[in-house]
Amino acid sequence: DDMDDERWYTTSVALPDGDVFTVAGSGGPNTAERFSVDTQQWTKLTGINWQPVSGAAGFESNWWPYLWVAPSGQLFHFGPTEAMNWVNPEGNGQRTSAGISVPNNHYPKHAGVTMYDSGKILIAGGAANTSGGSSKICYTVDLNTNPPTVQQVASMTHARRFSNAVVLPSGEVMIIGGNTSGKKFSDIGTVLTPEIWSPRT
């Protein structure tokens, strides 16, 4: 089934029951939809107004919001825009403020992001600010506390934007690639040395 809205650079998340939640993107920046694995149909979630997120300060704020399934089964939006939100994909859907935000005016667009443990997310680097450039700032979000705990952790050695974050069997996270220039589709400032982050230290 086609989605209700056309979308480019949307975020889609697999839900615990096998359905798929999708939100934002050019074309449908203020709306969310849910795909049913049982009926193979999309339903627009009219209870979710995404405009405060897609219209927030920062470049490309309507593209690729960071969303992850929390241990509770709800979705958590944790950037790259400043304010963080809980998202309930049930029924007509609902978005509510989590009352917490990205630390230190960081704008982690195109960061390396991964859930390295159950309900624990690492966000590494990204844009230095809303003007672009690259950052070495890292922070974690722990969804196992109420409210979630946001904590800035040790910075990377290299500023990186457009990097990949990979969870290793040890539970550590390897950050690979990216560039220091913050320029799209560019090798200027390419970082060739990986870094490993330890959640224990």
Side-chain angles (χ1 to χ4, degrees):
D1 185 35
D2 288 344
M3 292 184 290
D4 283 68
D5 290 330
E6 297 175 346
R7 299 177 188 274
W8 183 39
Y9 295 161
T10 183
T11 291
S12 295
V13 182
L15 301 176
D17 65 358
D19 286 3
V20 177
F21 173 88
T22 194
V23 70
S26 293
N30 301 327
T31 64
E33 304 183 44
R34 180 172 179 157
F35 178 76
S36 168
V37 69
D38 294 327
T39 67
Q40 299 289 296
Q41 299 288 313
W42 286 95
T43 301
K44 187 176 288 189
L45 302 180
T46 57
I48 296 178
N49 176 16
W50 203 252
Q51 197 284 326
V53 180
S54 63
F59 61 90
E60 301 172 1
S61 56
N62 59 326
W63 290 355
W64 289 322
Y66 297 156
L67 286 167
W68 225 288
V69 179
S72 66
Q74 287 206 80
L75 295 169
F76 192 71
H77 161 251
F78 54 94
T81 51
E82 183 176 1
M84 299 185 186
N85 298 274
W86 285 107
V87 179
N88 183 346
E90 301 300 324
N92 291 326
Q94 186 179 28
R95 178 192 57 80
T96 56
S97 172
I100 53 179
S101 59
V102 172
N104 296 330
N105 298 314
H106 182 43
Y107 190 70
K109 188 73 178 180
H110 306 122
V113 177
T114 190
M115 185 177 282
Y116 64 90
D117 199 350
S118 178
K120 296 181 178 182
I121 303 163
L122 172 70
I123 300 91
N129 49 53
T130 55
S131 300
S134 297
S135 172
K136 59 177 68 175
I137 294 174
C138 300
Y139 65 97
T140 58
V141 180
D142 187 348
L143 304 179
N144 298 296
T145 63
N146 187 17
T149 302
V150 179
Q151 181 179 359
Q152 189 165 332
V153 295
S155 296
M156 294 181 288
T157 299
H158 302 282
R160 299 172 190 260
R161 191 170 162 202
F162 313 116
S163 64
N164 282 319
V166 181
V167 180
L168 303 177
S170 63
E172 296 169 312
V173 178
M174 179 180 284
I175 306 296
I176 302 171
N179 66 35
T180 59
S181 65
K183 295 183 181 297
K184 290 184 178 182
F185 314 114
S186 173
D187 290 333
I188 297 173
T190 296
V191 182
L192 299 177
T193 305
E195 302 183 48
I196 293 179
W197 178 79
S198 168
R200 292 178 294 279
T201 64

